Amino acid sequence: MLDRLGPNWAKFRSSVWRARLGAFLCGALAVPAFAPFGLWPLALLSLLGLLALLQGQRPRRALLLGLAWGLGLNLPGLWWIHVSMTQFGGINLPMAVVLVGLLCLYLSLFPALACGLLARLWPVSDWRRYLVGLPLLWLLADWGLGHLLTGFPWLWLGYSQIDTPLAGFAPLLGVQGVTLALLLCVAGLLLAARQRRWPWLLLPLGLFGVGALLKPIAWTQDGKPLKFALMQGNIPQAMKWDPAMVRPTLLRYMDMSRLNQDADVIIWPESAVPALENEVPEFLVNVDKAMRFNNTGFITGIQVMEPDTERFYNALLGLGQMDQDELEEYQFGHANRYYKHHLLPIGEFVPFGDLLRPLAPFFNLPMSSFSRGEAVQPNLLVQGHHFAPAICYEIAFSDELRRNVNADTHYIVTVSNDTWFGTSIGPWQHMSIARMRALELGKPVLRATNSGVTVAIDAKGEVMKTLPQFEEGVLRASVAPAQGQTPYNRLGSAPLLLLLALGWLLGRWRRPEEAD
């Protein structure tokens, strides 16, 4: 008997670990579907492989398979985070591996829970499981991923489809509407293969067809283009906060700007002024006067300390030509500014700072004690146009940005400093997320960065011009403003929630009594 049990147990254990390894590899298969690779069909294959492995699994095993899939996606997809830890944060590589691994483990809990609940609530592999249970639970998991503990909605699967017809659903339902369409396509393919009923293939074909019809629609109206000059100073990160580099940095940006005074709007990147606003008042007054003299609008990143509260903010200032009828000159504390609302954990605020800061320089990075600005703030007014701001990480939070984009918002301006992440894929993923915001909200995006990826994106999410990374340069682009609102801009996620609620009712209306 023991002779029989031994081989059987070994075979059983081997099959379990093979399934988990398969789920991990399926997750890793999705990584090249995102920028900069753009191999979008791999996202379909990744989900198909995961769902095939989940068939017939009990909830606990399904949860572990979902966890393995999430680790396969997040470990290679977010490995670039270690660059800021090892190159700039004083953390050795083994410790960085542990920290990135813990983050990826946390992020992987969300698809794990979706898979475990799918096996418990929809144990039968029929159409209800794939057309109702899968989208509902996956999108709820994505919601948790984007909101809990400040949220990290980075590798949502919808971003992998930015260059496919499915992206046509973004102006209607947001990026999660694109994820929903992708999940339904996978469901149709799986049902067709499992039940050998080829009419199920009409579902993915229909979704791709509808998306292709939606994508050319102009949800907002163009106006007369403005000429933009986006500055990419390429200041080395190790030198950026050196007090001796303040003057050379400002001179570099001023020299670049003087050569581009024919632009309607000049934009400097995040923290381009490496000093507090109240430390360089004379410089800002002179820049404001020079820009007004040349009839040029100006936006720059800077840090602000409010004297009354002694709170620090990561900010954008609008200077220069604000409006033809606006003659107010710059003064400290003027209203044409934006304070970053959604701060980056560790980089801009440190949870449990008293415990973590003594452990390593990584927990005490420059400017890591910011306060939050208000969730909804007025647009910047530059050259008579309204700019909805998003500083760096904020561009990943679609609903937060949506609340600051109005019918009379003409552009989205986002500034960043992705130098923290070197030559990794992180900055390209970041740029792709900015493209999705343009498509969702029907507004062009101007993205100025310290070292790339600096880019101009039109109101349909298409890249107009970009600069090479890690080179000093100026991106010149004529970009038309956009007025009006997309359905997603007006209604947010309400239509998507309604669809999910209707799907839940449909799926629970009649329970299947047995598996196919």
Side-chain angles (χ1 to χ4, degrees), residues 10 23 80 144 159 166 197 253-254 281 283 287 311 316 392 421 438 507:
W80 49 268
Y159 289 121
L166 297 184
R197 296 174 183 172
Y253 277 110
M254 285 304 299
F283 170 78
V287 170
R311 291 180 177 176
L316 281 175
C392 194
F421 305 109

Side-chain angles (χ1 to χ4, degrees), residues 373-432:
E374 297 295 327
V376 178
Q377 301 178 49
N379 288 176
L380 296 175
L381 180 62
V382 180
Q383 279 287 13
H385 291 73
H386 294 92
F387 290 74
I391 298 178
C392 194
Y393 183 55
E394 287 185 307
I395 200 71
F397 295 86
S398 51
D399 191 58
E400 292 180 9
L401 179 59
R402 179 188 69 82
R403 285 179 283 169
N404 287 279
V405 174
N406 310 306
D408 62 352
T409 298
H410 300 102
Y411 299 94
I412 296 169
V413 58
T414 181
V415 296
S416 187
N417 181 21
D418 283 344
T419 314
W420 290 106
F421 305 109
T423 58
S424 69
I425 61 177
W428 293 97
Q429 293 174 352
H430 202 176
M431 188 268 282
S432 180

Side-chain angles (χ1 to χ4, degrees), residues 246-258 283:
V246 173
R247 180 176 174 80
T249 296
L250 296 179
L251 287 176
R252 178 181 297 190
Y253 277 110
M254 285 304 299
D255 289 343
M256 296 166 67
S257 299
R258 286 191 192 98
F283 170 78

Side-chain angles (χ1 to χ4, degrees), residues 330-458:
Y330 165 78
Q331 58 182 347
F332 179 80
H334 79 311
N336 200 26
R337 63 182 57 225
Y338 170 78
Y339 291 161
K340 186 175 183 180
H341 169 68
H342 202 118
L343 302 179
L344 177 66
I346 307 301
E348 293 175 315
F349 79 99
V350 180
F352 313 108
D354 292 340
L355 296 175
L356 294 179
R357 288 187 188 278
L359 296 180
F362 178 67
F363 298 112
N364 198 26
L365 294 172
M367 300 299 173
S368 60
S369 299
F370 285 114
S371 297
R372 286 184 172 85
E374 297 295 327
V376 178
Q377 301 178 49
N379 288 176
L380 296 175
L381 180 62
V382 180
Q383 279 287 13
H385 291 73
H386 294 92
F387 290 74
I391 298 178
C392 194
Y393 183 55
E394 287 185 307
I395 200 71
F397 295 86
S398 51
D399 191 58
E400 292 180 9
L401 179 59
R402 179 188 69 82
R403 285 179 283 169
N404 287 279
V405 174
N406 310 306
D408 62 352
T409 298
H410 300 102
Y411 299 94
I412 296 169
V413 58
T414 181
V415 296
S416 187
N417 181 21
D418 283 344
T419 314
W420 290 106
F421 305 109
T423 58
S424 69
I425 61 177
W428 293 97
Q429 293 174 352
H430 202 176
M431 188 268 282
S432 180
I433 289 170
R435 290 182 60 196
M436 186 63 76
R437 295 293 89 81
L439 183 58
E440 285 176 336
L441 301 169
K443 309 287 183 178
V445 172
L446 290 310
R447 184 174 192 262
T449 71
N450 175 49
S451 60
V453 181
T454 296
V455 63
I457 303 167
D458 68 17

